[in-house]
Amino acid sequence: DNWPGTTFLDVEFKGQGVVGKINRTHPFYRFFYEPLKDSEDQRAFQALQALLLSYFRAEDTLYNQLGHQQLQKIRNEWGRKAELLIETLTNH
Protein backbone atom coordinates (compact mmCIF):
# COMPACT_ATOMS: atom_id res chain seq x y z
CA ASP A 1 0.00 0.00 0.00
CA ASN A 2 1.04 3.67 -0.17
CA TRP A 3 0.49 6.41 2.40
CA PRO A 4 2.20 9.66 3.41
CA GLY A 5 4.46 10.00 6.42
CA THR A 6 7.33 8.02 7.86
CA THR A 7 5.47 4.87 8.89
CA PHE A 8 6.87 1.84 7.06
CA LEU A 9 4.49 -0.81 8.40
CA ASP A 10 0.83 -0.80 9.28
CA VAL A 11 -1.35 -3.52 10.71
CA GLU A 12 -5.01 -4.31 10.18
CA PHE A 13 -6.72 -6.64 12.59
CA LYS A 14 -9.29 -8.78 10.78
CA GLY A 15 -11.29 -11.41 12.58
CA GLN A 16 -8.91 -13.62 14.50
CA GLY A 17 -5.88 -12.60 12.44
CA VAL A 18 -3.67 -9.73 11.44
CA VAL A 19 -2.81 -8.34 8.02
CA GLY A 20 0.51 -6.55 7.65
CA LYS A 21 0.85 -3.70 5.19
CA ILE A 22 4.07 -2.21 3.82
CA ASN A 23 4.33 1.43 2.74
CA ARG A 24 5.83 1.43 -0.76
CA THR A 25 6.67 5.15 -0.49
CA HIS A 26 8.96 4.63 2.52
CA PRO A 27 12.71 4.71 1.72
CA PHE A 28 13.16 1.24 3.24
CA TYR A 29 10.94 -0.20 0.53
CA ARG A 30 12.84 1.50 -2.28
CA PHE A 31 16.38 0.92 -1.00
CA PHE A 32 16.09 -2.52 0.59
CA TYR A 33 12.77 -4.35 0.33
CA GLU A 34 12.24 -4.05 -3.42
CA PRO A 35 15.84 -4.91 -4.42
CA LEU A 36 15.81 -7.93 -2.10
CA LYS A 37 12.44 -9.02 -3.46
CA ASP A 38 13.80 -8.91 -7.02
CA SER A 39 17.15 -10.52 -6.13
CA GLU A 40 18.21 -13.83 -7.62
CA ASP A 41 19.23 -15.12 -4.19
CA GLN A 42 15.98 -15.13 -2.22
CA ARG A 43 17.51 -16.03 1.17
CA ALA A 44 17.95 -12.40 2.22
CA PHE A 45 14.38 -11.58 1.17
CA GLN A 46 13.06 -14.61 3.04
CA ALA A 47 14.96 -13.44 6.13
CA LEU A 48 13.41 -9.99 5.80
CA GLN A 49 9.97 -11.51 5.36
CA ALA A 50 10.47 -13.63 8.48
CA LEU A 51 11.39 -10.52 10.50
CA LEU A 52 8.42 -8.54 9.23
CA LEU A 53 5.97 -11.40 9.73
CA SER A 54 7.26 -11.94 13.26
CA TYR A 55 6.73 -8.21 13.95
CA PHE A 56 3.14 -8.41 12.69
CA ARG A 57 2.48 -11.47 14.86
CA ALA A 58 4.04 -9.73 17.89
CA GLU A 59 1.65 -6.81 17.43
CA ASP A 60 -1.24 -9.24 17.20
CA THR A 61 -0.14 -10.83 20.47
CA LEU A 62 0.37 -7.48 22.25
CA TYR A 63 -2.72 -5.69 20.91
CA ASN A 64 -4.91 -6.31 23.97
CA GLN A 65 -2.10 -5.42 26.36
CA LEU A 66 -0.82 -2.23 24.68
CA GLY A 67 -3.76 -1.06 22.57
CA HIS A 68 -3.99 0.40 19.10
CA GLN A 69 -2.65 3.88 19.90
CA GLN A 70 0.48 2.63 21.63
CA LEU A 71 1.25 0.19 18.82
CA GLN A 72 0.70 2.98 16.27
CA LYS A 73 3.21 5.15 18.17
CA ILE A 74 5.75 2.33 18.03
CA ARG A 75 5.23 1.87 14.27
CA ASN A 76 5.51 5.61 13.61
CA GLU A 77 8.68 5.97 15.66
CA TRP A 78 10.25 2.85 14.16
CA GLY A 79 9.50 4.08 10.64
CA ARG A 80 10.90 7.53 11.41
CA LYS A 81 14.11 6.09 12.84
CA ALA A 82 14.46 3.73 9.87
CA GLU A 83 14.06 6.65 7.45
CA LEU A 84 16.76 8.66 9.25
CA LEU A 85 19.17 5.73 9.29
CA ILE A 86 18.56 4.99 5.61
CA GLU A 87 19.28 8.62 4.74
CA THR A 88 22.55 8.36 6.67
CA LEU A 89 23.58 5.01 5.21
CA THR A 90 22.68 5.81 1.61
CA ASN A 91 23.62 9.52 1.69
CA HIS A 92 20.18 10.46 0.30
Side-chain angles (χ1 to χ4, degrees), residues 5-9 23 25-33 48 52 73-92:
T6 60
T7 303
F8 173 57
L9 299 175
N23 184 356
T25 62
H26 192 279
F28 187 90
Y29 185 85
R30 184 174 60 253
F31 285 105
F32 299 110
Y33 189 91
L48 176 58
L52 295 177
K73 281 183 181 179
I74 292 168
R75 277 185 252 122
N76 289 342
E77 186 64 18
W78 184 45
R80 190 176 71 75
K81 298 267 190 234
E83 187 173 299
L84 291 171
L85 286 169
I86 290 164
E87 287 175 9
T88 301
L89 293 171
T90 60
N91 298 316
H92 289 95

Side-chain angles (χ1 to χ4, degrees), residues 5 18 20 26 35 49 51 82 87:
V18 64
H26 192 279
Q49 283 184 307
L51 287 173
E87 287 175 9

Side-chain angles (χ1 to χ4, degrees), residues 8-73:
F8 173 57
L9 299 175
D10 198 10
V11 176
E12 286 184 17
F13 296 93
K14 294 190 175 197
Q16 297 297 321
V18 64
V19 175
K21 297 186 333 182
I22 296 172
N23 184 356
R24 290 179 284 177
T25 62
H26 192 279
F28 187 90
Y29 185 85
R30 184 174 60 253
F31 285 105
F32 299 110
Y33 189 91
E34 195 169 42
L36 287 173
K37 182 180 76 158
D38 297 334
S39 172
E40 237 177 79
D41 181 4
Q42 285 293 292
R43 287 187 58 181
F45 183 64
Q46 290 169 342
L48 176 58
Q49 283 184 307
L51 287 173
L52 295 177
L53 289 171
S54 63
Y55 176 83
F56 294 137
R57 293 296 300 142
E59 270 211 27
D60 188 30
T61 302
L62 294 171
Y63 182 80
N64 289 330
Q65 182 180 349
L66 298 178
H68 178 75
Q69 289 181 336
Q70 192 65 18
L71 292 170
Q72 183 65 43
K73 281 183 181 179

